Amino acid sequence: MEFAGVYHRTSEQMSYPLDKDRLIINLKTGYDVKQVFIHYGDPFEAGILGGNEKWTGKREEIVYKKRLSNQIWWTTTLTPIYKRCKYFFELHTDDSVWYYFEDGFLTKEQFHMDGRMLQCFIMPWMNPSDINVTPAWVNDTIWYQIFPDRFCNGTPEKNTEDILPWRDHGSVTNYEKFGGNLEGIRSKLDYLQNLGITGIYLNPIMEAGSNHKYDTTDYTKIDPSFGDSDTMKALCKEAHNKGIRIMVDAVFNHCGRKFKPWLDVLENGKSSKYADWFMVENWDDIAKRGDTRDKRYYTFAFTDGMPKLNTNNNEVIDYFCKICEDWIREFDIDGIRFDVGNEVSHRFLKKIREHLKAIKPDIYLLGEIWHDAIQWLQGDEYDSVMNYPLLSGIHDFFLDKTMKKQEFEYMVNRCYTMYMQQSNNVLFNLLDSHDTERLINRFHDLDKFYQQLAILFTLPGSPCIYYGTEIAMEGAHDPDCRRCMPWSEIDSSENAEKISTMRSLIMLRQNEKMCRSPYFHFPHNYDNERCVEYIKIDEYGNRMEVLINASDEPIKVTSGKDVLFSREFDGETLGANGTLIRRI
């Protein structure tokens, strides 16, 4: 047996309570392991630990598995009667049987040796307060991300001299302002509701000097170019009345150069009462402008206008706990997205979660993390993260035509074995954002564009589209991905067709529980090496097939039931770059 391929520990996403009754156990093995059994039971079933008991446990086969690139992920759900669980694994290869314990592997003879002290895996107690609980409503939400300055100007009559005419076409820069504001978003709520949107993610709206607002000047004040607190209250209230939730951006890793505590530090240096709010190493050069590779003080990236906040400091923690509390109480927001969410301290996140969940238990706390985020997703910090690994994996599969459908399967399975199911259910799934080039720009092909969206809307989590994606809006990398929404052309026949296609995907997600289900597998019934096929299953056993033909060759498809969504499909043949979603 490939011993190095076998791995389990009683922590993180490998052994955890799903709720107060169910315990999920996961195990990784190499492909040489063909069958796995788990022996489990209460630790005290045969007597007090350390006594002369002979503990055996109940033996069950683990039948559910996901294929990864070099390993298999086996998963089972147990229901420990007394909230405790003791267990070990029995692994079968073609020619051997091994028993896997906390301290390693035993042969059958060693396992049955009288007097051996078997070091089983132990889940001591499923304490309710330790269970990872995420807001259930997020799984049912279809998000729409809005970069406020470029979405809609609702008060053009109030334009100041620094506001440029709305630009329906062409590139933009980070130094141009077009007057998009909260009033403009309010005016488009009916449009979003008709599209099927049930959640809005707003890029920063608090006072800042730039158009992107990631250099906050005042965390207590809506930026005047966007409106005021009354406008924000009205937006949230009207959105809620239409069944649309609101999530705001929290920029707590760093502030802007004109944030009052930083101005005080610039003026008073080490003697400032805010000196420990920031991370300064060279007080003599603190006023120097230019990038911060010299480490005079730490910043976001090396941007001297975005000094890094010390989220290890109790005063800073208390300050931002109060900021978020005020946002909840004043505006009734539903979610908070934490910018640069992997650089703020774990201590900060633990305290802010406890504080905010006591005020609004179902508030959605989302971290901007672009890599494996398991250390932030133990149930005491974020609810989930932006699923950039999925975005990257989908993109690479369509880019690299040498990749086979098995590699797509491994990628997807990796994304959904990194975290607990509770976090998977509320992953923020996206294909583009204000930080990436726009989806249509990657291949300039509408068929591939909709193939990727079909994947987005049928995988577990919570899908998000970036404003303008419903009309396949173009835009290169930041800042060009932040173009103005072309409202003057929104009703053109071409855009109407694209909006209709997007709406059909959104309605599919809303109406078919199979789309939102965490259960899926890849049967590989088709010979074509770039025809991805996966089956989604809901809790009642209903099944839905998703076929993505990413090859240049048409394929004959087997008979099925109701077609729920299709492109390049004539009833029998799925064309090159075609998509088919149907019941089976």
Side-chain angles (χ1 to χ4, degrees):
M1 189 173 73
E2 296 176 15
F3 296 105
V6 180
Y7 182 74
H8 176 80
R9 68 183 306 169
T10 55
S11 64
E12 298 175 335
Q13 80 277 34
M14 302 213 78
S15 178
Y16 64 93
L18 180 63
D19 50 39
K20 65 183 182 63
D21 297 315
R22 292 178 291 174
L23 177 67
I24 291 184
I25 304 290
N26 293 306
L27 170 73
K28 277 185 179 180
T29 74
Y31 273 83
D32 60 324
V33 174
K34 308 300 183 185
Q35 198 174 22
V36 174
F37 294 86
I38 186 169
H39 297 248
Y40 70 96
D42 189 85
F44 301 104
E45 206 159 4
I48 301 298
L49 296 180
N52 193 32
E53 78 276 7
K54 179 66 175 177
W55 185 93
T56 54
K58 182 179 180 181
R59 181 177 183 263
E60 281 185 3
E61 184 175 4
I62 300 179
V63 297
Y64 297 106
K65 56 187 177 181
K66 293 185 185 299
R67 301 198 312 163
L68 303 173
S69 56
N70 297 297
Q71 292 175 302
I72 297 177
W73 179 274
W74 306 79
T75 185
T76 189
T77 304
L78 308 178
T79 308
I81 299 174
Y82 304 107
K83 312 299 182 186
R84 304 173 295 238
C85 195
K86 178 177 180 178
Y87 59 95
F88 63 89
F89 302 98
E90 178 185 327
L91 312 178
H92 290 241
T93 67
D94 286 334
D95 55 9
S96 63
V97 176
W98 291 89
Y99 296 86
Y100 179 41
F101 290 84
E102 195 172 66
D103 60 337
F105 303 91
L106 297 177
T107 64
K108 186 176 291 188
E109 292 73 24
Q110 290 172 318
F111 171 64
H112 289 291
M113 185 180 294
D114 286 341
R116 180 177 287 276
M117 300 176 69
L118 302 174
Q119 296 185 38
C120 295
F121 297 98
I122 300 286
M123 167 58 73
W125 192 270
M126 296 163 61
N127 285 296
S129 62
D130 296 332
I131 295 172
N132 185 3
V133 178
T134 56
W137 60 266
V138 177
N139 184 250
D140 297 326
T141 302
I142 291 95
W143 295 99
Y144 189 90
Q145 181 188 350
I146 293 176
F147 190 83
D149 182 63
R150 309 293 165 74
F151 182 65
C152 180
N153 186 341
T155 56
E157 71 281 359
K158 296 181 180 180
N159 283 2
T160 53
E161 290 184 359
D162 60 335
I163 302 299
L164 297 173
W166 203 255
R167 188 178 299 161
D168 283 342
H169 294 286
S171 298
V172 295
T173 72
N174 270 335
Y175 306 101
E176 296 174 305
K177 294 185 178 181
F178 293 93
N181 53 24
L182 298 180
E183 201 62 60
I185 298 171
R186 283 180 68 192
S187 71
K188 299 301 181 182
L189 286 176
D190 283 341
Y191 168 83
L192 296 176
Q193 184 183 33
N194 291 334
L195 186 60
I197 297 302
T198 56
I200 295 173
Y201 156 41
L202 293 171
N203 284 113
I205 57 172
M206 309 316 288
E207 186 177 73
S210 65
N211 63 24
H212 54 70
K213 309 302 177 191
Y214 282 100
D215 52 346
T216 313
T217 299
D218 190 340
Y219 292 92
T220 69
K221 182 182 178 183
I222 301 292
D223 193 283
S225 64
F226 290 161
D228 56 26
S229 60
D230 288 337
T231 321
M232 182 61 177
K233 288 177 191 175
L235 171 62
C236 291
K237 183 177 181 181
E238 291 169 20
H240 288 162
N241 289 340
K242 296 179 182 296
I244 300 174
R245 311 257 187 171
I246 300 289
M247 179 165 64
V248 299
D249 221 328
V251 190
F252 299 161
N253 172 69
H254 55 272
C255 63
R257 193 168 180 84
K258 294 184 179 180
F259 182 45
K260 286 183 179 179
W262 179 249
L263 291 175
D264 192 274
V265 166
L266 289 177
E267 181 179 352
N268 298 303
K270 284 183 183 180
S271 61
S272 169
K273 64 179 180 179
Y274 299 108
D276 196 42
W277 278 44
F278 303 95
M279 297 183 173
V280 180
E281 291 207 2
N282 183 351
W283 289 97
D284 294 334
D285 289 338
I286 192 170
K288 173 185 169 184
R289 297 308 306 266
D291 77 55
T292 57
R293 284 178 171 84
D294 60 3
K295 292 175 62 177
R296 62 190 182 277
Y297 59 89
Y298 291 98
T299 60
F300 167 68
F302 299 112
T303 307
D304 70 333
M306 295 183 178
K308 187 172 176 64
L309 289 152
N310 181 10
T311 54
N312 308 279
N313 180 300
N314 284 332
E315 290 183 3
V316 173
I317 294 172
D318 291 343
Y319 175 81
F320 285 116
C321 280
K322 183 64 165 61
I323 290 293
C324 291
E325 177 181 341
D326 290 345
W327 290 350
I328 294 171
R329 295 195 189 280
E330 187 173 5
F331 306 129
D332 194 23
I333 58 170
D334 305 284
I336 300 174
R337 180 261 192 188
F338 291 77
D339 184 60
V340 197
N342 56 347
E343 288 194 27
V344 295
S345 74
H346 291 287
R347 185 162 174 266
F348 170 87
L349 293 172
K350 287 175 170 61
K351 289 196 173 185
I352 208 165
R353 179 187 180 90
E354 185 175 9
H355 187 81
L356 300 185
K357 292 286 185 177
I359 298 167
K360 190 168 188 173
D362 68 345
I363 187 95
Y364 179 44
L365 302 180
L366 176 70
E368 183 211 4
I369 299 179
W370 291 57
H371 52 83
D372 184 345
I374 185 60
Q375 62 179 295
W376 290 271
L377 297 177
Q378 296 301 297
D380 55 355
E381 297 184 34
Y382 297 129
D383 289 309
S384 203
V385 290
M386 302 179 79
N387 201 355
Y388 279 106
L390 181 65
L391 179 160
S392 300
I394 291 173
H395 166 74
D396 288 350
F397 177 75
F398 282 89
L399 175 73
D400 184 356
K401 292 187 176 182
T402 69
M403 292 180 68
K404 300 178 181 179
K405 58 187 176 182
Q406 288 88 351
E407 293 172 88
F408 181 89
E409 174 190 1
Y410 303 153
M411 178 276 296
V412 170
N413 285 342
R414 172 183 174 266
C415 289
Y416 289 98
T417 56
M418 287 196 292
Y419 311 131
M420 301 180 196
Q421 185 174 312
Q422 297 97 310
S423 294
N424 287 339
N425 289 341
V426 297
L427 276 168
F428 191 86
N429 293 337
L430 69 165
L431 294 172
D432 53 4
S433 74
H434 66 292
D435 285 326
T436 73
E437 65 179 331
R438 283 187 171 270
L439 179 60
I440 192 64
N441 268 58
R442 293 176 187 147
F443 302 104
H444 297 283
D445 183 314
L446 273 178
D447 287 330
K448 292 181 180 178
F449 175 81
Y450 287 117
Q451 283 185 312
Q452 293 173 82
L453 285 165
I455 295 167
L456 182 77
F457 279 91
T458 54
L459 285 179
S462 185
C464 177
I465 61 170
Y466 189 31
Y467 77 97
T469 299
E470 68 269 32
I471 55 170
M473 200 163 101
E474 294 186 345
H477 287 282
D478 172 14
D480 194 46
C481 56
R482 305 168 182 182
R483 294 185 185 187
C484 298
M485 183 77 172
W487 290 110
S488 65
E489 302 172 2
I490 202 70
D491 294 325
S492 70
S493 58
E494 182 181 355
N495 283 337
E497 182 179 351
K498 292 174 182 174
I499 289 171
S500 176
T501 303
M502 180 64 75
R503 191 174 186 279
S504 67
L505 281 170
I506 291 173
M507 290 301 104
L508 173 65
R509 175 78 184 194
Q510 285 187 353
N511 296 332
E512 297 294 338
K513 197 168 185 180
M514 291 173 286
C515 288
R516 306 189 298 276
S517 167
Y519 308 115
F520 61 91
H521 66 275
F522 293 80
H524 298 302
N525 290 323
Y526 295 88
D527 292 335
N528 188 306
E529 290 187 336
R530 279 185 58 81
C531 180
V532 170
E533 177 196 15
Y534 55 93
I535 308 297
K536 291 298 299 291
I537 308 166
D538 68 16
E539 59 192 281
Y540 306 108
N542 298 309
R543 292 162 25 107
M544 180 180 78
E545 179 186 51
V546 181
L547 277 177
I548 306 292
N549 182 10
S551 75
D552 296 325
E553 302 293 332
I555 60 169
K556 290 285 185 181
V557 300
T558 58
S559 59
K561 295 182 181 177
D562 303 337
V563 173
L564 302 172
F565 179 85
S566 69
R567 283 180 68 85
E568 306 298 328
F569 177 61
D570 64 8
E572 294 182 353
T573 302
L574 185 62
N577 299 317
T579 304
L580 174 61
I581 304 174
R582 60 182 179 174
R583 294 189 182 93
I584 56 173

